[in-house]
């Protein structure tokens, strides 16, 4: 049975996954893709780790806490990069990344 803390982490990871995928797609469709390469790469890494973290947490894996620590670090890096850009999708992504990092850190301890 999933407890409240786990569910909040799962929800935050899923929201972050969607925001990161959307941000990367919007960046790829933008007029200056070259300027957004680092943002796109971090969004893709973040989306992948968030999806994995959500699955590990949902199955109550013995490795979920360790993965949550890594997920929080990647979310912070992605948020930091997205905050450098003015696009609305980047701002939304950064917001979701910050929320996810917070929930993952709660799970890690």
């Amino acid at each position: 049975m999933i407890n409240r803390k786990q569910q909040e982490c799962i929800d935050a990871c899923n929201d972050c996954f969607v925001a990161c995928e959307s941000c990367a797609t919007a960046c790829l469709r933008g007029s200056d893709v070259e300027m957004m390469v680092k943002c796109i790469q971090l969004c893709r890494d973040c989306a992948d780790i968030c999806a994995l973290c959500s699955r590990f947490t949902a199955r109550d894996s013995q490795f979920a806490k360790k993965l949550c620590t890594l997920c929080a670090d990647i979310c912070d890096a992605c948020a930091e990069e997205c905050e450098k850009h003015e696009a609305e999708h980047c701002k939304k992504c950064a917001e979701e990344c910050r929320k996810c990092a917070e929930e993952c850190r709660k799970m890690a301890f």
Side-chain angles (χ1 to χ4, degrees):
M1 191 77 177
I2 295 172
N3 64 40
R4 183 177 178 182
K5 186 164 84 169
Q6 288 170 311
Q7 188 61 56
E8 288 172 354
C9 182
I10 291 166
D11 292 344
C13 284
N14 290 339
D15 291 345
C16 191
F17 161 75
V18 170
C20 287
E21 288 288 354
S22 296
C23 186
T25 298
C27 288
L28 284 166
R29 292 180 178 159
S31 60
D32 194 358
V33 174
E34 191 172 311
M35 184 183 84
M36 302 303 289
V37 168
K38 186 173 182 183
C39 186
I40 294 164
Q41 289 173 329
L42 282 167
C43 282
R44 292 178 69 212
D45 286 350
C46 193
D48 286 349
I49 195 72
C50 286
L52 186 61
C53 192
S54 177
R55 289 193 302 270
F56 273 51
T57 302
R59 68 177 71 129
D60 197 25
S61 169
Q62 65 182 356
F63 300 106
K65 288 183 180 186
K66 288 181 182 180
L67 193 59
C68 282
T69 299
L70 178 59
C71 187
D73 291 345
I74 293 172
C75 284
D76 283 341
C78 188
E80 188 175 310
E81 179 61 28
C82 283
E83 287 166 348
K84 294 177 183 176
H85 306 287
E86 294 296 322
E88 191 59 38
H89 57 85
C90 286
K91 291 182 185 312
K92 174 67 174 168
C93 186
E95 180 182 320
E96 293 300 332
C97 286
R98 295 288 184 204
K99 288 179 191 174
C100 188
E102 181 181 333
E103 292 303 324
C104 281
R105 285 197 175 88
K106 289 178 187 176
M107 275 296 299
F109 298 102

